[in-house]
Amino acid sequence: MSLQQTLDQIARQMAALPDKGTVASYIPELANVDPEHFAISVALPDGQILSAGDAETRFSIQSVSKVFSLALALGRLGDQLWQRVGREPSGLPFNSILQLEHEQGIPRNPFINAGALAVTDAILEGHQPREVLGELLRFIQSAAEDSDIRINEHVARSETAHGDRNLALAHFMAAHGNLRNAPALTCGTYFHQCALEMTTRQLALAGRFLVGGPNLPTLPRLISASSVRRINALMLTCGHYDGSGDFAYRVGLPGKSGVGGGILVIAPGRASIAVWSPGLNAQGNSQLGTLAVERLAQKTGWSIFG
Ligand code: GLN
Protein backbone atom coordinates (compact mmCIF):
# COMPACT_ATOMS: atom_id res chain seq x y z
CA MET A 1 0.00 0.00 0.00
CA SER A 2 1.36 3.46 -0.90
CA LEU A 3 1.76 6.16 1.76
CA GLN A 4 -1.13 8.10 0.18
CA GLN A 5 -3.37 5.02 0.39
CA THR A 6 -2.36 4.52 4.02
CA LEU A 7 -3.31 8.13 4.87
CA ASP A 8 -6.66 7.78 3.04
CA GLN A 9 -7.36 4.57 4.90
CA ILE A 10 -6.55 6.16 8.28
CA ALA A 11 -8.83 9.13 7.49
CA ARG A 12 -11.69 6.75 6.62
CA GLN A 13 -11.12 4.71 9.78
CA MET A 14 -11.11 7.82 11.98
CA ALA A 15 -14.33 9.13 10.39
CA ALA A 16 -16.07 5.84 11.28
CA LEU A 17 -15.19 5.97 14.99
CA PRO A 18 -18.08 7.28 17.11
CA ASP A 19 -16.04 8.45 20.14
CA LYS A 20 -14.01 11.43 19.00
CA GLY A 21 -13.12 12.82 22.45
CA THR A 22 -14.19 16.20 23.84
CA VAL A 23 -13.47 19.58 22.25
CA ALA A 24 -11.70 22.04 24.63
CA SER A 25 -14.23 24.49 26.04
CA TYR A 26 -12.21 26.62 28.49
CA ILE A 27 -11.24 28.80 25.52
CA PRO A 28 -14.76 29.65 24.22
CA GLU A 29 -13.66 30.13 20.58
CA LEU A 30 -12.32 26.56 20.50
CA ALA A 31 -15.63 25.15 21.76
CA ASN A 32 -17.22 26.15 18.43
CA VAL A 33 -15.01 23.86 16.35
CA ASP A 34 -16.75 20.89 14.69
CA PRO A 35 -15.40 17.67 16.31
CA GLU A 36 -15.93 15.80 13.02
CA HIS A 37 -12.93 17.47 11.37
CA PHE A 38 -9.97 15.23 10.68
CA ALA A 39 -6.80 15.89 8.72
CA ILE A 40 -3.36 14.37 8.40
CA SER A 41 -0.36 15.53 6.36
CA VAL A 42 3.11 14.08 5.90
CA ALA A 43 6.04 16.13 4.58
CA LEU A 44 8.91 14.05 3.21
CA PRO A 45 12.55 15.12 2.80
CA ASP A 46 12.31 14.76 -1.00
CA GLY A 47 9.82 17.65 -1.05
CA GLN A 48 6.64 15.59 -1.33
CA ILE A 49 3.69 16.51 0.87
CA LEU A 50 0.85 14.01 1.17
CA SER A 51 -2.46 14.62 2.93
CA ALA A 52 -5.85 13.12 3.68
CA GLY A 53 -9.01 14.68 5.14
CA ASP A 54 -9.52 18.42 5.77
CA ALA A 55 -5.88 19.32 5.17
CA GLU A 56 -6.80 22.77 3.80
CA THR A 57 -8.80 23.84 6.88
CA ARG A 58 -7.00 26.05 9.41
CA PHE A 59 -7.03 25.17 13.08
CA SER A 60 -5.65 26.72 16.25
CA ILE A 61 -2.25 25.16 16.92
CA GLN A 62 -2.24 26.23 20.62
CA SER A 63 0.55 24.40 22.48
CA VAL A 64 2.17 23.12 19.30
CA SER A 65 3.45 26.71 19.10
CA LYS A 66 5.65 25.96 22.13
CA VAL A 67 8.01 24.01 19.86
CA PHE A 68 8.63 27.11 17.73
CA SER A 69 9.03 29.50 20.70
CA LEU A 70 11.48 27.04 22.27
CA ALA A 71 13.49 26.95 19.03
CA LEU A 72 13.67 30.77 19.05
CA ALA A 73 14.59 30.88 22.75
CA LEU A 74 17.37 28.30 22.36
CA GLY A 75 18.75 30.26 19.41
CA ARG A 76 18.70 33.47 21.39
CA LEU A 77 19.68 32.36 24.91
CA GLY A 78 21.36 28.99 24.40
CA ASP A 79 21.88 26.96 27.57
CA GLN A 80 21.12 29.99 29.76
CA LEU A 81 17.46 29.17 29.20
CA TRP A 82 17.82 26.14 31.49
CA GLN A 83 18.38 28.39 34.49
CA ARG A 84 14.71 29.31 34.24
CA VAL A 85 13.03 26.09 33.16
CA GLY A 86 13.78 22.37 33.66
CA ARG A 87 13.95 19.43 31.27
CA GLU A 88 12.04 16.72 33.15
CA PRO A 89 8.60 15.28 32.45
CA SER A 90 6.05 16.69 34.89
CA GLY A 91 3.57 13.82 35.21
CA LEU A 92 0.93 16.50 35.87
CA PRO A 93 -1.70 18.28 33.73
CA PHE A 94 -0.44 20.99 31.36
CA ASN A 95 -1.90 23.83 33.41
CA SER A 96 -1.03 22.54 36.90
CA ILE A 97 0.30 24.96 39.50
CA LEU A 98 1.12 22.28 42.12
CA GLN A 99 4.73 21.53 41.17
CA LEU A 100 5.60 25.19 40.71
CA GLU A 101 5.25 25.82 44.43
CA HIS A 102 7.39 22.80 45.38
CA GLU A 103 10.06 23.80 42.90
CA GLN A 104 10.28 27.52 43.75
CA GLY A 105 8.82 28.91 40.56
CA ILE A 106 11.06 26.94 38.15
CA PRO A 107 8.73 25.01 35.79
CA ARG A 108 9.58 21.38 35.11
CA ASN A 109 9.86 21.68 31.34
CA PRO A 110 9.24 24.13 28.46
CA PHE A 111 6.04 22.42 27.27
CA ILE A 112 3.80 22.64 30.33
CA ASN A 113 2.09 26.05 30.44
CA ALA A 114 4.31 27.47 33.20
CA GLY A 115 7.43 26.45 31.27
CA ALA A 116 6.13 27.86 28.00
CA LEU A 117 5.30 31.13 29.76
CA ALA A 118 8.91 31.27 31.02
CA VAL A 119 10.17 30.65 27.46
CA THR A 120 7.94 33.37 25.99
CA ASP A 121 8.95 35.70 28.82
CA ALA A 122 12.61 35.05 27.99
CA ILE A 123 12.26 35.93 24.30
CA LEU A 124 10.11 38.95 25.20
CA GLU A 125 12.74 40.53 27.45
CA GLY A 126 13.88 43.83 25.94
CA HIS A 127 11.36 43.60 23.06
CA GLN A 128 7.79 44.58 22.30
CA PRO A 129 5.18 41.77 22.05
CA ARG A 130 4.57 42.86 18.45
CA GLU A 131 8.24 42.30 17.55
CA VAL A 132 8.40 38.89 19.24
CA LEU A 133 5.17 37.69 17.64
CA GLY A 134 6.42 38.98 14.27
CA GLU A 135 9.67 37.07 14.70
CA LEU A 136 7.81 33.89 15.67
CA LEU A 137 5.46 34.23 12.71
CA ARG A 138 8.38 34.79 10.30
CA PHE A 139 10.20 31.77 11.74
CA ILE A 140 7.16 29.54 11.12
CA GLN A 141 6.47 31.05 7.71
CA SER A 142 10.03 30.46 6.55
CA ALA A 143 10.01 26.94 8.05
CA ALA A 144 6.83 26.20 6.08
CA GLU A 145 7.95 28.28 3.07
CA ASP A 146 4.47 29.77 3.14
CA SER A 147 3.59 33.34 4.15
CA ASP A 148 -0.14 32.59 4.45
CA ILE A 149 0.01 31.66 8.16
CA ARG A 150 -1.46 34.00 10.78
CA ILE A 151 -2.58 34.64 14.33
CA ASN A 152 -6.34 34.48 14.93
CA GLU A 153 -7.11 37.60 16.98
CA HIS A 154 -10.54 36.25 18.08
CA VAL A 155 -8.95 33.15 19.61
CA ALA A 156 -6.26 35.26 21.32
CA ARG A 157 -8.92 37.58 22.79
CA SER A 158 -11.11 34.67 23.81
CA GLU A 159 -8.23 33.13 25.77
CA THR A 160 -7.20 36.50 27.26
CA ALA A 161 -10.73 36.89 28.62
CA HIS A 162 -10.50 33.48 30.31
CA GLY A 163 -6.80 33.43 31.11
CA ASP A 164 -6.90 33.48 34.91
CA ARG A 165 -5.11 30.21 35.32
CA ASN A 166 -2.16 31.15 33.11
CA LEU A 167 -2.02 34.57 34.78
CA ALA A 168 -1.86 32.78 38.15
CA LEU A 169 1.09 30.71 36.89
CA ALA A 170 2.85 33.84 35.64
CA HIS A 171 2.24 35.73 38.88
CA PHE A 172 3.54 32.78 40.86
CA MET A 173 6.75 32.71 38.83
CA ALA A 174 7.05 36.50 39.24
CA ALA A 175 6.82 36.02 43.02
CA HIS A 176 9.85 33.73 42.73
CA GLY A 177 11.78 36.15 40.54
CA ASN A 178 11.39 33.94 37.46
CA LEU A 179 9.55 36.44 35.22
CA ARG A 180 11.15 39.46 33.54
CA ASN A 181 8.04 41.16 32.18
CA ALA A 182 4.64 42.03 33.67
CA PRO A 183 2.50 38.86 33.95
CA ALA A 184 -0.21 40.38 31.74
CA LEU A 185 2.34 41.20 29.02
CA THR A 186 3.92 37.75 29.01
CA CYS A 187 0.51 36.05 29.09
CA GLY A 188 -0.86 38.32 26.35
CA THR A 189 2.09 37.43 24.10
CA TYR A 190 1.69 33.73 24.94
CA PHE A 191 -2.06 33.79 24.18
CA HIS A 192 -1.32 35.30 20.76
CA GLN A 193 1.37 32.70 20.08
CA CYS A 194 -1.11 29.94 20.97
CA ALA A 195 -3.68 31.53 18.61
CA LEU A 196 -1.49 30.83 15.56
CA GLU A 197 -3.56 28.99 13.02
CA MET A 198 -2.69 26.93 9.98
CA THR A 199 -3.63 23.78 8.10
CA THR A 200 -2.08 20.35 8.72
CA ARG A 201 -0.33 20.78 5.39
CA GLN A 202 1.30 24.02 6.59
CA LEU A 203 2.14 22.56 10.00
CA ALA A 204 3.78 19.45 8.53
CA LEU A 205 5.86 21.73 6.27
CA ALA A 206 6.72 24.00 9.23
CA GLY A 207 7.93 20.98 11.23
CA ARG A 208 10.53 19.93 8.64
CA PHE A 209 13.30 21.88 10.39
CA LEU A 210 13.10 19.26 13.16
CA VAL A 211 13.51 16.22 10.89
CA GLY A 212 17.31 16.49 11.00
CA GLY A 213 19.52 13.90 9.35
CA PRO A 214 22.84 14.74 7.65
CA ASN A 215 21.86 13.84 4.10
CA LEU A 216 18.71 15.82 3.68
CA PRO A 217 19.73 19.11 2.04
CA THR A 218 16.18 19.96 0.92
CA LEU A 219 15.00 20.52 4.51
CA PRO A 220 15.09 24.06 5.95
CA ARG A 221 18.02 24.51 8.37
CA LEU A 222 16.83 27.07 10.89
CA ILE A 223 18.56 25.84 14.06
CA SER A 224 21.67 23.83 14.89
CA ALA A 225 21.71 20.03 14.60
CA SER A 226 22.15 19.73 18.38
CA SER A 227 19.09 21.92 18.99
CA VAL A 228 17.11 19.67 16.63
CA ARG A 229 18.06 16.61 18.68
CA ARG A 230 17.34 18.33 21.99
CA ILE A 231 13.93 19.65 20.98
CA ASN A 232 13.00 16.17 19.71
CA ALA A 233 14.11 14.69 23.06
CA LEU A 234 11.90 17.16 24.94
CA MET A 235 8.96 16.48 22.62
CA LEU A 236 9.27 12.77 23.33
CA THR A 237 9.57 13.11 27.12
CA CYS A 238 7.33 16.14 27.75
CA GLY A 239 5.33 16.93 24.58
CA HIS A 240 2.11 15.33 25.78
CA TYR A 241 2.28 16.35 29.47
CA ASP A 242 1.03 13.53 31.72
CA GLY A 243 0.25 11.54 28.56
CA SER A 244 3.87 11.65 27.27
CA GLY A 245 4.76 8.11 28.35
CA ASP A 246 1.64 6.70 26.73
CA PHE A 247 2.30 8.60 23.47
CA ALA A 248 5.91 7.36 23.36
CA TYR A 249 4.72 3.79 24.01
CA ARG A 250 1.99 3.87 21.39
CA VAL A 251 3.61 5.98 18.66
CA GLY A 252 7.35 5.74 19.34
CA LEU A 253 8.07 9.20 17.91
CA PRO A 254 8.54 12.70 19.38
CA GLY A 255 5.32 14.72 19.28
CA LYS A 256 3.83 17.97 20.53
CA SER A 257 0.11 18.34 21.04
CA GLY A 258 -2.20 21.34 21.45
CA VAL A 259 -5.71 21.74 22.89
CA GLY A 260 -6.91 22.74 19.43
CA GLY A 261 -6.56 19.04 18.61
CA GLY A 262 -3.38 19.29 16.55
CA ILE A 263 -0.22 17.22 16.97
CA LEU A 264 3.14 17.73 15.28
CA VAL A 265 5.06 14.45 15.11
CA ILE A 266 8.64 14.05 13.91
CA ALA A 267 10.03 10.84 12.43
CA PRO A 268 13.72 11.77 12.61
CA GLY A 269 15.44 11.59 9.21
CA ARG A 270 12.16 10.54 7.58
CA ALA A 271 9.18 12.85 7.88
CA SER A 272 7.33 15.69 9.56
CA ILE A 273 3.72 14.73 10.30
CA ALA A 274 0.80 16.94 11.32
CA VAL A 275 -2.56 15.56 12.42
CA TRP A 276 -5.72 17.34 13.53
CA SER A 277 -8.85 16.05 15.23
CA PRO A 278 -10.40 18.54 17.69
CA GLY A 279 -11.71 16.07 20.29
CA LEU A 280 -9.34 15.58 23.24
CA ASN A 281 -8.65 12.77 25.68
CA ALA A 282 -8.45 13.17 29.48
CA GLN A 283 -4.90 14.58 29.27
CA GLY A 284 -5.92 17.29 26.76
CA ASN A 285 -4.27 15.58 23.78
CA SER A 286 -6.11 14.81 20.53
CA GLN A 287 -7.80 11.45 20.96
CA LEU A 288 -8.09 10.42 17.31
CA GLY A 289 -4.96 12.36 16.36
CA THR A 290 -2.98 10.07 18.63
CA LEU A 291 -4.69 6.97 17.27
CA ALA A 292 -4.10 8.10 13.68
CA VAL A 293 -0.34 8.60 14.15
CA GLU A 294 -0.14 5.34 16.09
CA ARG A 295 -1.58 3.58 13.01
CA LEU A 296 0.68 5.53 10.64
CA ALA A 297 3.75 4.55 12.70
CA GLN A 298 2.64 0.89 12.65
CA LYS A 299 2.09 0.89 8.88
CA THR A 300 5.33 2.70 7.99
CA GLY A 301 7.50 1.14 10.67
CA TRP A 302 8.69 4.66 11.63
CA SER A 303 9.97 4.64 15.20
CA ILE A 304 12.98 6.02 17.03
CA PHE A 305 13.22 2.70 18.87
CA GLY A 306 14.23 0.54 15.92
N1 GLN B 1 -3.34 28.26 25.17
C1 GLN B 1 -3.55 27.04 25.89
C2 GLN B 1 -3.43 27.26 27.39
O1 GLN B 1 -2.57 27.96 27.80
C3 GLN B 1 -2.59 26.01 25.42
C4 GLN B 1 -2.67 24.72 26.19
C5 GLN B 1 -2.49 23.51 25.32
O2 GLN B 1 -2.60 23.56 24.13
N2 GLN B 1 -2.26 22.40 25.97
O3 GLN B 1 -4.18 26.76 28.16
Side-chain angles (χ1 to χ4, degrees), residues 242-257:
D242 47 340
S244 298
D246 189 59
F247 189 86
Y249 179 87
R250 290 173 55 190
V251 180
L253 297 169
K256 181 74 209 82
S257 66

Side-chain angles (χ1 to χ4, degrees), residues 130-270:
R130 205 176 348 101
E131 295 166 356
V132 168
L133 291 168
E135 192 181 348
L136 190 64
L137 198 53
R138 282 192 297 278
F139 183 96
I140 296 174
Q141 288 171 340
S142 58
E145 294 172 291
D146 187 341
S147 58
D148 189 21
I149 293 174
R150 52 186 179 241
I151 291 171
N152 183 322
E153 202 49 56
H154 296 290
V155 174
R157 269 194 230 128
S158 177
E159 187 166 12
T160 306
H162 297 84
D164 293 325
R165 213 174 160 116
N166 283 312
L167 274 159
L169 292 168
H171 275 284
F172 199 83
M173 288 193 285
H176 279 281
N178 194 18
L179 210 73
R180 305 286 180 266
N181 306 280
L185 200 71
T186 297
C187 284
T189 310
Y190 166 81
F191 295 148
H192 278 79
Q193 143 194 346
C194 289
L196 273 156
E197 63 177 23
M198 61 192 85
T199 66
T200 56
R201 186 176 191 282
Q202 291 170 319
L203 182 58
L205 289 168
R208 291 172 306 165
F209 78 104
L210 291 170
V211 172
N215 302 318
L216 305 170
T218 57
L219 298 175
R221 296 261 165 221
L222 299 177
I223 57 173
S224 68
S226 69
S227 287
V228 165
R229 286 192 287 271
R230 288 167 167 176
I231 293 174
N232 273 289
L234 289 163
M235 287 168 75
L236 184 79
T237 53
C238 311
H240 283 72
Y241 321 110
D242 47 340
S244 298
D246 189 59
F247 189 86
Y249 179 87
R250 290 173 55 190
V251 180
L253 297 169
K256 181 74 209 82
S257 66
V259 289
I263 311 177
L264 174 65
V265 181
I266 304 298
R270 294 179 179 277

Side-chain angles (χ1 to χ4, degrees), residues 3-4 41-51 201 204-205 208 218-219 270-272:
L3 184 53
Q4 183 62 56
S41 298
V42 179
L44 299 169
D46 65 3
Q48 277 192 83
I49 170 101
L50 307 174
S51 298
R201 186 176 191 282
L205 289 168
R208 291 172 306 165
T218 57
L219 298 175
R270 294 179 179 277
S272 167

